[in-house]
Amino acid sequence: MEVSRSLRDKQIDVLERMLHLNKEGSADLTLASKSEEIVWKVLVLDMASREILSSVLRVNDLLRCGITVHSLINSKRSKLSDVPVVYFVEPTKANVSLIINDLNEDRYENFYINFTSNINRELLEDFAKQVALLGKANRIKQVWDQYLDFIVTEPNLFSLNIPEIFTSFNTLGTSEEVIHQLVGRISDGLLSLIITMDVIPIIRAQQNGPAEFVAQELDLKIREYLSNSKLLGVLDSNGSSSLAQRPVIILLDRNFDLASMFAHSWIYQCMVSDVFHLKRNTIKLTKHGKNEGETVSVKNYDIDPRDFFWNKYSQLPFPDVVENADLELNAYKQDAKEITNKTGISSLEDIDPHANATANIQQAVEKLPELTARKATLDMHMDILSCLINELQEKNLDTYFEVEQNANKSDAKLLKEFLELLQKDSVQDSSLDKLRTFIILALVGDMSQDYIAKARTILKDKYPDLDMSALNYILKFKENTKLANLSSLNDLNNQQSYSNSSSASQLGSSALLSGLSSKLYGLTEGKISEGLSSIASRIKNFIPEKKSLPITNIVEAIMDPQNSSAQSVQLTDDYLYFDPKSRGGGHSKQPKRQSYQDSIVFVIGGGNYLEYQNLQERSQEAGKSPMNIIYGATNILSPTEFLKECENLGNQS
């Protein structure tokens, strides 16, 4: 895998090539040579393919690739009989029928058909038969299996968008047939990823669970694909891949670490996902009225893959993001001032892009689109940060975060503080936040049954409608698996810890957050506020030290065993080993411990932004072996969504 080319880059390459009718060369019409004929096209999608495409491309990108109209396959579409159509849909019987209907009605001129994954032989033959009966085979110009059945939302983050896998695999009533179907669907999604990456990975997987089933199925699917294609993973001039050059795909069951799924975090992206709703690069921002009785408003923000602020700062701790927001706004103000000073115009809004003007005004006109887009991006993030501050303040979220950093200690002082926290009121309902912190203490701490009963009673008395089924499930889970003995890696102190928690407490977080909130409110009104940096620097005492999550310890042990702890390496030595290029097939004895530069880490049962950011932080860590890590899961979940799955499991039992 090329370090310089992210997973998102590679998916965009395949999508743009598809929009270019699967021809070589650039799909960008602005880069087309004079001799090349420009072809304008219609794009037809279904719901699944729209989610894949909309996560990485925008309407302007489609237009740049010659797409003038795009619509859903099951919607009412106009007849455009002189325009070619590009279909990008799932290979289902319903979609094939709709394509046949379009062909029969001569809805479009030529048909270029692309399936998100491979179409099975029976359906393909049925499709060919129906086309032949219509006598219009000459109109079908292409039929492609694109192997793009996964959603990419960050440079190296992907999801198969399969819901409730954790619930399905941990429910005793799930039938073998359903499990087999889910394993097949997951392995199909991973095969798509591997083909897009153009690699043949070594497979490592946890034993005795879904990861083992998926590993076996994926090994078979890669072998089958390789038997039909000699192009995958050609990494050298001899047409073969050496073991050292190949990546490793690490398959994990969600049960290896549940605490990270409930945790509160200071990382900007993680906080947005937790406090608001972040799905497929769309943030649903909920604003609560300042006064009682005021309605709650919801605003959607789209995170563009080219969003400079998000790309630079999403993985930083929240106080650092606030500080950088101030710097970026001042930089924008300075650039805008330089332009207006040269032109004698008081504001960028006064510039007329169509005016006949001097060289200075012409220069301003040229810079106007970039500056306008930059200002819009900054305004969006200022609004997000402002709302985030309000949520933090009104729910006292910093206090839960602090307790979680010391959860593994479970000393008398911490346990006493937690009981006080459970009884504390907040402006907004924080019952789920309290429940999440309680669950983390139950998972990684050492609490007596009397203490658990006391905390449970306080929580139930304060919030009579709160469903405690998730807590019941977690307590039973810990009892059944003896979690503390199975994995010493699952220590939340490894996750993060306060660098100076005592001084952080003395600062008085509420006052600081309140001051920061008012500063940000001023910024969202379009004013450049002074003193923001000094406030942000004062609350930097809240930022925890950089520590590794359990998933990062596991990945490091497999990718760099020589420099990992003996305990971590011993744990991962038991992971299954498959090499799809070896003869015979199936699980083979692990060879000598191998180092890898590239990996695909995949969690069956749900993942989150916290693990993604922790892995990316390790991959870029100075002084350690460089790593290129792609992270994915059956679905990317917020803590509240995962809590709901555990709640369902608790209710079932």
Side-chain angles (χ1 to χ4, degrees), residues 468-600:
M468 306 274 270
S469 304
L471 176 66
N472 299 337
Y473 174 77
I474 292 298
L475 290 171
K476 185 174 285 188
F477 171 83
K478 185 174 181 179
E479 182 186 339
N480 291 342
T481 59
K482 297 179 181 178
L483 187 66
N485 295 327
L486 280 177
S487 175
S488 58
L489 291 175
N490 202 358
D491 177 350
L492 207 67
N493 193 44
N494 281 341
Q495 179 189 30
Q496 297 166 323
S497 63
Y498 274 126
S499 56
N500 194 342
S501 58
S502 59
S503 64
S505 300
Q506 291 163 11
L507 280 171
S509 61
S510 295
L512 286 170
L513 292 174
S514 178
L516 195 57
S517 178
S518 64
K519 294 290 182 184
L520 282 165
Y521 182 74
L523 290 175
T524 60
E525 296 299 305
K527 302 168 185 174
I528 303 298
S529 184
E530 295 179 2
L532 185 60
S533 298
S534 63
I535 293 173
S537 64
R538 286 172 62 203
I539 63 169
K540 277 193 174 182
N541 288 289
F542 289 114
I543 300 176
E545 292 177 357
K546 293 179 180 178
K547 296 291 182 181
S548 294
L549 287 172
I551 194 169
T552 307
N553 291 330
I554 289 170
V555 171
E556 192 170 46
I558 290 175
M559 294 185 71
D560 188 18
Q562 291 183 337
N563 298 309
S564 300
S565 70
Q567 194 175 26
S568 299
V569 174
Q570 205 167 17
L571 178 73
T572 55
D573 275 350
D574 290 334
Y575 282 27
L576 298 173
Y577 176 97
F578 295 85
D579 181 0
K581 289 195 73 179
S582 67
R583 293 182 180 179
H587 169 56
S588 57
K589 191 176 180 182
Q590 181 199 336
K592 186 180 177 182
R593 287 172 184 168
Q594 173 79 32
S595 293
Y596 303 91
Q597 280 194 325
D598 305 307
S599 70
I600 301 162

Side-chain angles (χ1 to χ4, degrees), residues 154-173:
E154 290 290 313
N156 284 311
L157 172 71
F158 74 97
S159 164
L160 298 187
N161 202 28
I162 309 175
E164 299 188 343
I165 288 296
F166 184 76
T167 302
S168 298
F169 280 124
N170 288 280
T171 300
L172 290 174

